[in-house]
């Protein structure tokens, strides 16, 4: 997204960089490196992140207390957490007219935080091992991280390994298909149940497609193009099955006492009932809404499952935060402190 207007001034004043894909601002402020994540909805909700430690690479025991002391002064600071070296502070503004004060307060908070960090003699460091040297800001699958060179290399190796495994993984279409069928049957059951309870079953269209895709991947199918096609067609067909079972059951309920029809006979009589306008229209509306819900939610379900199976994770370096050690023997100092 575009840099929100409320942050424009803020960003210019401190010379921060805006990453439009990851929705974050980053840069140095009074010697500390900040990453500010903007809520993707565009609402004034931000997570301020930094990673600091003692100059010798140890974590600071005072970090949590520093944040705790600041919190009462900032009403928009709704939450904070510290984990080893990493600090996360959440800012949230509920009402639009307050945005200006909100941004101002966020700025004041960062100023005050920098001052406290300076008096505690803390420095920017790697959020994994605490090394203050050779730290860069990175994006791991659009999650911001501050990592030293050593930890970056480890992360890159892990990613390469994962990508290799992903490529090797063939998946078994047949067992995946069995899983998809089982999943879609759950969807059919949900459709019939919701229908029986007297609600509009359309929302189950979404549940149907989720169950089918989940079933496919849980049973070992690799979600490639044939897998996606199979699951999509199956979900659509099973929605039809669900509707047929639901209306057969309704016919059966109405006629079983007076005409002693069996469930199967009720099912067979569906075409006769479909000749009645009102009946046909109700069935078509049920199905149409069901497919609408399926299509509306289906795209994100398919995309997220596809990504999980086919898109390897990435590590992208944004910029250098602290200089690399000048003495090459220092660079191995923090090895093994993971
Ligand atoms: Zn590190």
């Amino acid at each position: 997204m575009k840099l929100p207007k409320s942050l424009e001034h803020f960003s210019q004043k401190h010379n921060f960089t805006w990453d439009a894909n990851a929705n974050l601002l980053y840069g140095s402020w009074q010697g500390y490196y900040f990453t500010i994540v903007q809520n993707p909805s565009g609402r004034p909700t931000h997570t301020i992140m930094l990673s600091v430690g003692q100059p010798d690479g140890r974590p600071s025991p005072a970090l949590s207390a520093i944040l705790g002391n600041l919190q009462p002064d900032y009403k928009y600071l709704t939450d904070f957490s510290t984990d080893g070296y990493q600090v996360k502070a959440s800012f949230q503004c509920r009402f639009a007219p307050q945005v200006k004060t909100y941004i101002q307060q966020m700025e004041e908070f960062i100023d005050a935080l920098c001052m406290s960090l300076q008096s505690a003699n803390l420095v920017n460091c790697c959020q994994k091992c605490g090394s203050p040297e050779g730290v860069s800001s990175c994006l791991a699958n659009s999650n911001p991280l501050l990592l030293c060179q050593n930890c970056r290399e480890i992360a890159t190796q892990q990613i390469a390994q994962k990508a290799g495994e992903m490529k090797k993984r063939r998946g078994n279409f047949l067992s995946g298909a069995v899983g998809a069928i089982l999943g879609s049957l759950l969807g059919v059951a949900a459709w019939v149940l919701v229908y029986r309870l007297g609600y509009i079953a359309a929302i189950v269209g979404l549940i149907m497609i989720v169950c089918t895709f989940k079933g496919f991947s849980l049973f070992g199918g690799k979600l490639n193009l044939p897998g996606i096609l199979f699951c999509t067609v199956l979900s659509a067909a099973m929605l039809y099955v669900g509707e047929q079972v639901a209306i057969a059951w309704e016919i059966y309920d109405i006629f079983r006492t007076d005409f002693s029809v069996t469930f199967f006979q009720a099912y067979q009589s569906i075409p006769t009932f479909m000749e009645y306008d009102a009946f046909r229209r109700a069935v078509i509306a049920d199905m149409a809404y069901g497919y609408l819900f399926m299509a509306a939610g289906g795209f994100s379900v398919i995309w997220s499952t596809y990504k999980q199976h086919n898109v390897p994770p990435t590590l992208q370096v944004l910029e250098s935060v602290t200089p690399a050690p000048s003495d090459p023997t220092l660079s191995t100092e923090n090895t093994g402190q993971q």
Side-chain angles (χ1 to χ4, degrees):
M1 62 184 270
K2 252 181 68 184
L3 174 67
K5 257 208 151 45
S6 51
L7 285 176
E8 266 173 24
H9 176 71
F10 179 92
S11 157
Q12 267 171 10
K13 185 173 159 193
H14 300 282
N15 206 13
F16 272 27
T17 310
W18 168 250
D19 184 312
N21 290 324
N23 293 327
L24 46 92
L25 267 180
Y26 53 85
S28 281
W29 190 330
Q30 297 189 20
Y32 293 100
Y33 193 85
F34 287 89
T35 307
I36 303 175
V37 183
Q38 158 74 46
N39 186 296
S41 73
R43 280 192 315 153
T45 300
H46 300 94
T47 311
I48 300 168
M49 297 199 269
L50 72 161
S51 171
V52 286
Q54 303 190 47
D56 61 4
R58 283 180 305 146
S60 162
L63 202 52
S64 185
I66 289 176
L67 271 294
N69 287 338
L70 288 173
Q71 194 180 27
D73 297 336
Y74 302 94
K75 72 166 179 171
Y76 297 109
L77 172 61
T78 50
D79 195 20
F80 72 86
S81 65
T82 56
D83 177 16
Y85 305 96
Q86 206 194 20
V87 177
K88 277 187 187 178
S90 310
F91 265 71
Q92 204 175 1
C93 175
R94 288 185 204 286
F95 304 107
Q98 296 175 328
V99 169
K100 216 172 154 191
T101 7
Y102 165 83
I103 297 286
Q104 203 181 336
Q105 198 178 93
M106 204 158 81
E107 207 169 333
E108 284 165 12
F109 165 75
I110 296 177
D111 257 340
L113 179 60
C114 286
M115 236 147 37
S116 305
L117 295 174
Q118 273 159 5
S119 46
N121 199 23
L122 299 182
V123 294
N124 288 320
C125 70
C126 168
Q127 70 181 70
K128 280 230 154 96
C129 70
S131 164
E133 285 167 328
V135 177
S136 289
S137 58
C138 323
L139 280 179
N141 286 342
S142 53
N143 288 321
L145 299 170
L146 285 187
L147 296 178
C148 70
Q149 177 149 15
N150 194 27
C151 291
R152 280 202 305 279
E153 277 163 19
I154 295 170
T156 311
Q157 275 166 18
Q158 285 169 343
I159 285 170
Q161 201 183 347
K162 185 142 191 230
E165 280 167 17
M166 218 175 233
K167 228 175 173 175
K168 258 193 274 166
R169 205 175 151 252
R170 299 286 293 273
N172 186 331
F173 185 85
L174 214 62
S175 61
V178 171
I181 292 169
L182 291 176
S184 70
L185 285 175
L186 275 180
V188 169
W191 183 276
V192 174
L193 180 76
V194 173
Y195 195 100
R196 298 288 301 163
L197 291 172
Y199 298 108
I200 296 172
I203 181 95
V204 183
L206 177 60
I207 297 172
M208 176 81 75
I209 200 161
V210 172
C211 288
T212 309
F213 274 87
K214 275 271 171 271
F216 187 83
S217 41
L218 271 179
F219 275 64
K222 181 176 171 155
L223 209 64
N224 43 22
L225 193 63
I228 291 175
L229 281 177
F230 177 79
C231 289
T232 309
V233 172
L234 181 68
S235 310
M238 285 307 215
L239 194 143
Y240 177 78
V241 172
E243 178 72 5
Q244 295 283 303
V245 172
I247 52 182
W249 199 335
E250 196 169 297
I251 296 169
Y252 170 67
D253 256 1
I254 298 170
F255 295 100
R256 70 174 157 181
T257 35
D258 294 342
F259 299 89
S260 64
V261 294
T262 62
F263 188 85
F264 185 64
Q265 283 168 330
Y267 175 76
Q268 281 181 314
S269 71
I270 292 175
T272 321
F273 280 91
M274 287 296 272
E275 283 166 22
Y276 295 99
D277 257 358
F279 188 88
R280 190 175 58 236
R281 247 181 273 139
V283 172
I284 290 174
D286 271 351
M287 305 273 299
Y289 281 119
Y291 286 126
L292 206 69
F293 269 93
M294 192 178 266
F299 181 75
S300 68
V301 173
I302 295 171
W303 172 235
S304 68
T305 325
Y306 177 81
K307 228 169 41 177
Q308 212 181 324
H309 284 237
N310 298 284
V311 182
T314 56
L315 186 78
Q316 177 199 351
V317 174
L318 296 175
E319 61 183 358
S320 168
V321 175
T322 63
S326 44
D327 182 348
T329 52
L330 277 175
S331 66
T332 49
E333 195 180 52
N334 285 294
T335 319
Q337 274 198 26
Q338 276 282 309

